[in-house]
Amino acid sequence: MGEGVGVTERPHLAWERVLIVVGVAIALASAVLGYVWLQRMPELQPVDFGQHVPIVATETTSVTVFVSTGLSSSPSCEVTTGNGGAVTVGEAERYHQGGGLESAFGFPVISGTTYVVTCSSAAEAGRFAVAQDVAVPVNVLIATGSLGLGLCGVGLVVTTGRRRATTTRSSSSR
């Protein structure tokens, strides 16, 4: 057989193109996971003001207290540990609204600890619910997305450099 007869060359898949594709895939996956996590509304089981709601922390994260929407003033909410220790209540980390309730307060929890939440209002009747936030490391999602964008950027820079070098060589060889 003659040289090169019947041999077909496969197109070269440059590593920078792989970087671009992998980078875009990583960034998109991170963005989608972050969006789904932020949009997830916990299943709430509201009770009337004045009742005590126990919650056992399944992981070290935070808890959001939801109260009735449309109240003229914020109710007061007290949180204690199972042994009666007071817990400082602050603002909720994220705003959620659904089922006639909106996020109003939040507090950190430690895995395995029982907490008791009581909300009340002297002026109005209302309801409240408590839900543990899912511990998703937001910093990991941001770092992963940034890594993906970085890989994509490196791939684009190398591709642009190769194209310019090829254009320069073909221009100078004429």
Side-chain angles (χ1 to χ4, degrees), residues 14 61 120 130:
T61 181
S120 61
V130 181

Side-chain angles (χ1 to χ4, degrees), residues 3 27-28 30 59 79 84 89 91 94 124 131 134 168 171:
E3 287 183 43
L28 285 175
S30 180
E59 54 189 320
V79 180
V89 178
E91 293 187 25
R94 295 180 314 276
E124 299 174 88
V134 176
T168 304
S171 299

Side-chain angles (χ1 to χ4, degrees), residues 37 40 42 59 61-64 66 93-94 131-135:
W37 175 70
R40 198 173 72 75
E59 54 189 320
T61 181
S62 61
V63 166
T64 301
F66 295 83
E93 289 185 20
R94 295 180 314 276
Q132 183 169 331
D133 300 329
V134 176

Side-chain angles (χ1 to χ4, degrees), residues 5-138:
V5 176
V7 175
T8 58
E9 289 187 36
R10 295 188 322 181
H12 183 272
L13 181 61
W15 63 271
E16 62 270 12
R17 290 184 185 144
V18 173
L19 279 178
I20 293 169
V21 171
V22 169
V24 167
I26 289 172
L28 285 175
S30 180
V32 168
L33 287 174
Y35 177 79
V36 168
W37 175 70
L38 288 174
Q39 297 302 313
R40 198 173 72 75
M41 177 72 174
E43 187 176 325
L44 302 176
Q45 299 173 351
V47 298
D48 292 329
F49 282 165
Q51 293 187 10
H52 304 292
V53 175
I55 183 167
V56 178
T58 57
E59 54 189 320
T60 301
T61 181
S62 61
V63 166
T64 301
V65 179
F66 295 83
V67 299
S68 297
T69 57
L71 297 175
S72 60
S73 63
S74 294
S76 63
C77 291
E78 294 180 6
V79 180
T80 59
T81 59
N83 62 8
V87 176
T88 303
V89 178
E91 293 187 25
E93 289 185 20
R94 295 180 314 276
Y95 180 77
H96 286 296
Q97 185 174 359
L101 299 170
E102 62 186 342
S103 54
F105 305 104
F107 59 94
V109 295
I110 298 171
S111 180
T113 305
T114 300
Y115 298 86
V116 179
V117 181
T118 306
C119 292
S120 61
S121 173
E124 299 174 88
R127 296 173 65 81
F128 74 101
V130 181
Q132 183 169 331
D133 300 329
V134 176
V136 173
V138 175

